[in-house]
Amino acid sequence: MMVILQGSSLGQFFNQYLAPIKLNDVQVDWKSMDLSYLMEEKYLNHFAEMVKKAELIHGADVALKANNMSGDVCIQYRDQLHFEEIARQFGIFEEWKDGVPRTAYKGVVVFRYQTSRRVFLVGPNSFQLLGL
């Protein structure tokens, strides 16, 4: 298979982050689902509630601490360098674009770690942006 390198990164992160992604092979009837919770105001409340319920952890070795938790966890980062340090511990994408981490919503990056557990990396202004 030939991969054509496009975009601003010229495929720089493709092998590390995108190649391992498995395409969905389960049929989903999206038209029959109530997706109204994805409208901005409802979603903001829904997302803020998930962050609020996650257990706050901090200090060194947050990936190890998160691995030993049974539920969702929240980790606050101070700035870009701190975010990158935490991201490296989990092996997730460290890149920032326009002053925020890629994939962030209101300064929060969320991903699954080891199990169905969610990890919320929360920026310095995120609690305020989420109304928490």
Side-chain angles (χ1 to χ4, degrees), residues 80-99:
Q80 182 175 349
L81 289 176
H82 190 219
F83 173 85
E84 290 170 353
E85 174 188 315
I86 294 167
R88 275 190 294 278
Q89 289 182 44
F90 288 100
I92 65 165
F93 202 44
E94 303 168 31
E95 188 180 20
W96 279 47
K97 181 81 171 179
D98 296 328

Side-chain angles (χ1 to χ4, degrees), residues 2-131:
M2 182 177 180
V3 176
I4 299 172
L5 303 179
Q6 301 182 62
S8 61
S9 67
L10 298 175
Q12 174 184 2
F13 302 108
F14 180 82
N15 288 337
Q16 185 175 1
Y17 297 106
L18 300 177
I21 295 174
K22 178 185 175 286
L23 290 175
N24 181 39
D25 59 0
V26 176
Q27 185 67 29
V28 177
D29 184 8
W30 295 106
K31 291 181 180 181
S32 71
M33 299 178 74
D34 177 10
L35 301 176
S36 63
Y37 73 95
L38 295 174
M39 300 301 290
E40 173 121 32
E41 186 175 313
K42 285 184 179 181
Y43 184 74
L44 179 61
N45 292 334
H46 172 75
F47 190 76
E49 197 60 32
M50 288 191 304
V51 173
K52 189 166 108 175
K53 288 179 180 177
E55 186 162 348
L56 184 63
I57 60 174
H58 48 81
D61 299 321
V62 289
L64 180 61
K65 290 176 183 175
N67 193 44
N68 290 320
M69 305 298 284
S70 60
D72 295 345
V73 296
C74 178
I75 303 164
Q76 190 165 12
Y77 61 89
R78 294 181 298 274
D79 53 29
Q80 182 175 349
L81 289 176
H82 190 219
F83 173 85
E84 290 170 353
E85 174 188 315
I86 294 167
R88 275 190 294 278
Q89 289 182 44
F90 288 100
I92 65 165
F93 202 44
E94 303 168 31
E95 188 180 20
W96 279 47
K97 181 81 171 179
D98 296 328
V100 294
R102 293 244 187 190
T103 77
Y105 175 69
K106 303 292 185 186
V108 179
V109 173
V110 60
F111 59 95
R112 303 270 182 188
Y113 185 64
Q114 302 291 341
T115 64
S116 61
R117 164 190 318 106
R118 284 178 291 236
V119 176
F120 298 94
L121 300 184
V122 180
N125 300 319
S126 297
F127 288 116
Q128 179 182 347
L129 292 171
L130 294 171

